[in-house]
Amino acid sequence: MTSVPSGRRLFFALVFAAVTVGASVLLGRRFTHTSWPLERAHMGLVAGAIAFYFASFILRALGWQKLFPPAGRPDRARCLAACGAAAASGAVLPFRLDYLVKIGTLRRLGGVKLGLEAIALSIISLGIVDAIAFLPLSISATATSSGSFRLPLIGVVLFGVCCCGLLVGGRHLARLPIVARRARLARLAARVVNHPRSSTREGIVAWLFLLGCWTSRVLGSTLLLAALGVGFSPPLALVVLCLSAAASLIPIASGGAIANVSATAAILLALGVHKEAAINFGLASGLLLCGTAAVAAIVGAAASVAISLRARPAGNIAT
């Protein structure tokens, strides 16, 4: 009963990814002297970048899984499918509408006993822990960047520090007058704060997985920059990632690879990278991220279906 809606969401996510890939090819032909962004790239390094980008989605799914209540926690395959589908559709959808895709995909895959509120709280918790996991990278990028980019990077650092403060002193959040006067707001604040703290050990594990996710993105971007002839420069990749991913760390901000492509290219141009290499990297990174997200969604959905079929009694399968 639930396979059709989940298949429809997955289909739309793959369509969004295909649109992004096609747009990358067309923009590459329009603004550069190449027929597509990876035409002159070192394909061995591109393969390494793809591996790291795909690993980042796996690590992100594992981190998100740890933020669910243990009693109704979905399996890893379903979390991977939801993360992949949301990232693929987020290439086009603005204003964090990819969150709806993530929630819908997870609920429609079947086998998930949690309600809508618990899933939404896990996503909010994911955003908080995600910002904290990003904090070491953003501090490193701020320390190594030039003065012109230091101000926005400091903003990313401050956002991570605020999330740390929310976890450390968040229990006092409900006592604030503006929150305490509203019963629903006070209950929501208490749930958001207590949700990721339900298990300190699992919260730390989730933080480590998400730190690994962002580190994999940095390594993938480093290899992609080298593949396009920019040079092997982890500090450059770190600065670019921190600046282009700043919007995705804020739950209410507009996300999507289409916005990140232009932002990434503009950042590289401001850092002195050649125009063609900057545009090709922006397009190629968006293309590879959307492609690996679509693959992650397919792999996760296929694995979840296989797990469901394996769990069915033999008599039900026969009928």
Side-chain angles (χ1 to χ4, degrees):
M1 296 292 291
T2 58
S3 60
V4 175
S6 62
R8 188 179 303 164
R9 284 176 171 80
L10 184 58
F11 171 76
F12 285 135
L14 296 178
V15 169
F16 290 143
V19 168
T20 301
V21 171
S24 297
V25 173
L26 293 176
L27 288 173
R29 291 180 176 179
R30 173 66 178 82
F31 294 106
T32 67
H33 299 291
T34 55
S35 59
W36 75 304
L38 297 173
E39 180 181 352
R40 301 174 184 173
H42 187 291
M43 298 312 295
L45 295 176
V46 171
I50 292 173
F52 278 118
Y53 284 156
F54 182 73
S56 71
F57 287 109
I58 296 177
L59 291 169
R60 188 170 190 80
L62 293 175
W64 182 31
Q65 186 200 28
K66 293 296 181 181
L67 297 176
F68 284 96
R73 180 173 294 160
D75 58 45
R76 298 170 181 176
R78 289 173 172 82
C79 290
L80 179 60
C83 285
S89 61
V92 177
L93 297 178
F95 306 117
R96 309 312 314 188
L97 292 179
D98 56 308
Y99 284 1
L100 299 180
V101 176
K102 180 180 286 188
I103 294 173
T105 301
L106 189 65
R107 296 188 72 190
R108 296 295 183 176
L109 279 174
V112 179
K113 301 177 182 179
L114 296 174
L116 177 62
E117 182 180 4
I119 297 175
L121 285 174
S122 74
I123 294 177
I124 296 174
S125 302
L126 176 64
I128 296 173
V129 180
D130 202 21
I132 298 173
F134 199 66
L135 192 55
L137 301 181
S138 61
I139 292 175
S140 300
T142 304
T144 58
S145 67
S146 61
S148 58
F149 289 103
R150 193 155 293 167
L151 186 60
L153 286 172
I154 289 175
V156 179
V157 171
L158 291 178
F159 181 74
V161 171
C162 290
C163 289
C164 287
L166 181 62
L167 289 183
V168 173
R171 295 184 182 275
H172 303 288
L173 183 65
R175 300 178 184 176
L176 294 176
I178 191 173
V179 177
R181 293 171 186 170
R182 297 166 175 81
R184 290 185 179 180
L185 191 59
R187 286 197 301 270
L188 178 61
R191 290 178 182 177
V192 170
V193 171
N194 293 327
H195 185 74
R197 295 172 63 108
S198 59
S199 172
T200 303
R201 178 181 177 276
E202 291 182 348
I204 294 174
V205 173
W207 180 85
L208 290 173
F209 277 133
L210 293 172
L211 178 60
C213 166
W214 288 113
T215 303
S216 294
R217 292 280 178 92
V218 172
L219 294 174
S221 296
T222 300
L223 292 180
L224 186 58
L225 284 169
L228 294 171
V230 178
F232 187 81
S233 178
L236 176 61
L238 185 59
V239 171
V240 172
L241 178 68
C242 289
L243 290 173
S244 62
S248 66
L249 291 175
I250 305 174
I252 61 173
S254 299
I258 290 179
N260 286 340
V261 162
S262 57
T264 301
I267 291 166
L268 285 173
L269 287 171
L271 290 171
V273 176
H274 188 270
K275 173 185 174 183
E276 184 169 315
I279 295 175
N280 278 336
F281 176 81
L283 294 172
S285 61
L287 185 154
L288 295 183
L289 282 171
C290 288
T292 51
V295 172
I298 294 172
V299 170
S304 66
V305 171
I307 292 171
S308 299
L309 292 176
R310 192 188 313 169
R312 289 182 183 178
N316 290 346
I317 296 176
T319 57

